[in-house]
Amino acid sequence: MEFTHTPVLLDACIRALDIHPDGVYVDGTLGRAGHSREIARRLTTGRLICIDRDQAAIDAAPCRLAPWLDRVTLLHGNFSDLAALLDSAGIDQVQGMLFDLGVSSPQLDDASRGFSYMQDAPLDMRMDASAPLTAYTVVNTWSYEELRRILFEYGEERYAPAIARAICRTRETHEIETTLQLVDVIKGAMPPQALREKQHPAKRTFQAIRIAVNGELEALPPMLTAAVDKLSPGGRLAVMTFHSLEDRIVKQAMADMARGCTCPPEFPVCVCGKKPRLKLLTRKPMTADEAELADNPRARSAKLRVAEKCGPQGL
């Protein structure tokens, strides 16, 4: 199957990685391989490690990356297991890593995966089709309290209590099996003024359920820690986020690792010995310009944060 695909913030990502032809790089979210293609074509004796939890992305990659397969290693797995995945490939240190968070374009575009609130499909939403938890299970078996919590925390949905109650009330008479059935329940729980908003009324709820199904936020801290551990001094870490929840986690983690001494200011000398592990290269995240938005509307919410691994002395 042939795709037309415009990678989000492509030029900014490539500049951020500062690619050396003989370096080792990681694309931790392969997707349609748009970013991977541009990294691989810049390598000569270097290597690109492509990771994705979606086997469909791994299966499609040999075609997408055909001209450069001699310098590419494909790994199926969750980037929360980044350290183990790189160890399995015999990779000790790398010069750059890129992570494009959230749901990928192929997953959104394939209605059968159940990510879209615009087309009818079984409630699934798994990024890894072999994972046990589906959106169907969340919607039909999780308690009111858990549903309300994830809608509020992961979807920042102000009507979370009403939507959670409507889901529980509906499933007392019949199971909610498809995406459009769920959309109808959500719409029925919201006041008329909410239905007239520009944003689709189901967007926040679908985001919340997707995040819960895939454990997206829980995967970020171990990935970020492992990424910095595996970077060589001077290596670059570039992370692209698409909503405030994941961006907050990435921003805070990078800031914490860029902070040195934590001693109270009244101490005359440092006794904690903490050295910065990262140098922030973007105090404010990079975003898409108007030209890119015209080509790729999905870039509207993208934010790119970039940092560089410090040396042993925190320099």
Side-chain angles (χ1 to χ4, degrees):
M1 184 176 183
E2 184 63 31
F3 296 103
T4 57
H5 177 51
T6 304
V8 175
L9 292 173
L10 178 60
D11 291 341
C13 290
I14 296 303
R15 290 197 305 272
L17 291 174
D18 188 28
I19 297 168
H20 298 272
D22 59 349
V24 179
Y25 295 86
V26 171
D27 184 346
T29 43
L30 171 64
R32 282 182 176 166
H35 293 100
S36 283
R37 286 169 62 92
E38 294 303 317
I39 298 170
R41 70 192 304 169
R42 288 166 169 78
L43 302 178
T44 52
T45 58
R47 189 134 205 93
L48 174 61
I49 313 300
C50 298
I51 299 170
D52 207 292
R53 66 195 299 182
D54 189 343
Q55 185 62 48
I58 299 296
D59 292 342
C63 178
R64 297 284 294 170
L65 298 171
W68 311 284
L69 277 181
D70 61 331
R71 65 199 75 164
V72 171
T73 298
L74 301 172
L75 299 177
H76 178 229
N78 191 325
F79 62 47
S80 64
D81 300 318
L82 178 64
L85 287 166
L86 293 180
D87 287 344
S88 72
I91 304 298
D92 183 44
Q93 286 196 321
V94 303
Q95 282 66 58
M97 297 194 195
L98 172 65
F99 297 90
D100 178 357
L101 305 183
V103 65
S104 70
S105 295
Q107 292 163 342
L108 282 173
D109 294 341
D110 183 352
S112 68
R113 302 290 295 269
F115 288 101
S116 174
Y117 41 76
M118 302 298 291
Q119 303 177 77
D120 204 22
L123 278 173
D124 193 321
M125 300 194 197
R126 290 174 296 176
M127 294 178 178
D128 180 351
S130 67
L133 182 62
T134 67
Y136 173 89
T137 301
V138 171
V139 169
N140 288 285
T141 69
W142 283 21
S143 68
Y144 162 79
E145 290 77 13
E146 274 298 282
L147 289 172
R148 181 189 57 79
R149 181 188 67 82
I150 65 168
L151 295 184
F152 184 75
E153 292 184 8
Y154 298 165
E156 299 179 298
E157 174 56 76
R158 60 186 180 278
Y159 300 111
I163 295 171
R165 280 194 298 269
I167 290 172
C168 293
R169 188 167 55 247
T170 301
R171 71 192 192 191
E172 288 176 1
T173 59
H174 63 274
E175 293 178 329
I176 303 169
E177 298 183 342
T178 71
T179 53
L180 292 189
Q181 286 177 351
L182 178 58
V183 169
D184 286 341
V185 173
I186 295 166
K187 288 181 175 179
M190 301 175 78
Q193 66 270 22
L195 301 179
R196 292 192 293 268
E197 293 177 0
K198 183 177 180 181
Q199 180 172 271
H200 192 285
K203 180 178 180 179
R204 290 183 291 265
T205 295
F206 270 61
Q207 173 183 295
I209 295 171
R210 188 202 83 216
I211 289 173
V213 167
N214 295 288
E216 293 175 39
L217 300 185
E218 293 86 350
L220 292 179
M223 176 273 281
L224 292 165
T225 298
V228 176
D229 288 344
K230 287 290 189 179
L231 278 175
S232 59
R236 298 287 184 85
L237 172 62
V239 184
M240 197 187 318
T241 65
F242 287 85
H243 59 76
S244 59
L245 298 172
E246 60 192 16
D247 187 62
R248 196 174 303 133
I249 293 172
V250 173
K251 177 183 178 181
Q252 188 60 55
M254 284 187 170
D256 289 345
M257 287 188 277
R259 190 174 297 119
C261 174
T262 57
C263 295
E266 62 269 20
F267 278 28
V269 294
C270 173
V271 296
C272 72
K274 185 176 183 293
K275 303 291 184 184
R277 303 193 67 202
L278 289 177
K279 179 173 70 173
L280 301 180
L281 301 183
T282 50
R283 293 291 174 178
K284 290 184 178 180
M286 287 182 270
T287 57
D289 59 24
E290 290 302 318
E292 179 167 4
L293 291 175
D295 290 337
N296 190 357
R298 287 178 179 169
R300 185 167 302 280
S301 61
K303 295 180 179 179
L304 179 66
R305 297 187 182 275
V306 186
E308 184 175 278
K309 174 76 172 284
C310 296
Q313 303 305 315
L315 301 173

